[in-house]
Amino acid sequence: MTTDPKVKGPASYFPSIEKTYGQPISYWLDVIKGLGPLKHMELVNVLKTEHKVGHGHANAIVAYFIAKKKQ
């Protein structure tokens, strides 16, 4: 019997983010990519103010984006 590994970290928010805001995560990652070289909290604030994303969800998207950039 195999079980899927439990998703941890920022990606664990992705199903809720997609359901709440009606856009796939790839959309949000593209939004962040298009903003240029801003700091973590600057990116979070853009998602919150311009896209009405909640703080926790915005933080999860940005944290995931930055972590993937470093790989």
Side-chain angles (χ1 to χ4, degrees), residues 14-33:
F14 289 178
S16 177
I17 292 168
E18 290 177 337
K19 181 179 179 184
T20 302
Y21 306 105
Q23 296 289 350
I25 293 303
S26 60
Y27 169 84
W28 297 111
L29 297 176
D30 287 344
V31 167
I32 292 172
K33 188 176 182 179

Side-chain angles (χ1 to χ4, degrees), residues 8 11 13-14 17 19 23 32-34 37-42 45-46 49 57 59 64 67 69 71:
K8 297 180 181 179
Y13 289 88
F14 289 178
I17 292 168
K19 181 179 179 184
Q23 296 289 350
I32 292 172
K33 188 176 182 179
L38 299 176
K39 293 180 182 180
H40 181 105
M41 287 309 297
E42 292 172 324
N45 286 329
V46 169
T49 58
H57 286 165
N59 192 55
Y64 180 84
K69 230 171 72 169
Q71 290 182 349

